[in-house]
Amino acid sequence: IKVPEVSMNLDRMKVPEASTMMFFLVRFIIGCGLPFSVIESPFFRDFVKAARPSFLKFLPSRFTGASRWIDIVHRHTLQR
């Protein structure tokens, strides 16, 4: 199965929306006890490409972005 090029070209995402998606992605990874290496999995990237292609460019590596987002999710959880 291949994502049509048309849908990839029409999909646009701005930073605020990408930030919201990253927050929920990191919360999902932490909540399910998954390793952050899942972000680099070709299977996960295929899923993102099929669901929301423009989000791919916002995905960090497990090393570069994980700690920042863990802190954000942690602070949000403490505020609840």
Side-chain angles (χ1 to χ4, degrees), residues 3-11:
V3 177
E5 292 296 320
V6 173
S7 67
M8 290 182 67
N9 292 330
L10 295 177
D11 185 38

Side-chain angles (χ1 to χ4, degrees), residues 13-80:
M13 181 178 289
K14 295 184 179 176
V15 173
E17 184 181 5
S19 294
T20 299
M21 289 184 66
M22 274 303 300
F23 173 83
F24 286 108
L25 173 60
V26 170
R27 194 174 81 163
F28 166 74
I29 290 171
I30 293 169
C32 291
L34 299 173
F36 276 92
S37 61
V38 74
I39 291 174
E40 296 172 342
S41 162
F43 302 109
F44 176 76
R45 291 191 173 260
D46 285 346
F47 168 75
V48 171
K49 187 175 180 181
R52 196 67 201 270
S54 61
F55 187 52
L56 280 174
K57 68 181 177 185
F58 293 99
L59 285 176
S61 75
R62 63 183 157 174
F63 301 110
T64 59
S67 62
R68 176 177 166 252
W69 282 101
I70 290 170
D71 290 341
I72 290 169
V73 170
H74 179 70
R75 277 181 291 185
H76 182 268
T77 303
L78 290 176
Q79 291 174 354
R80 291 180 130 193

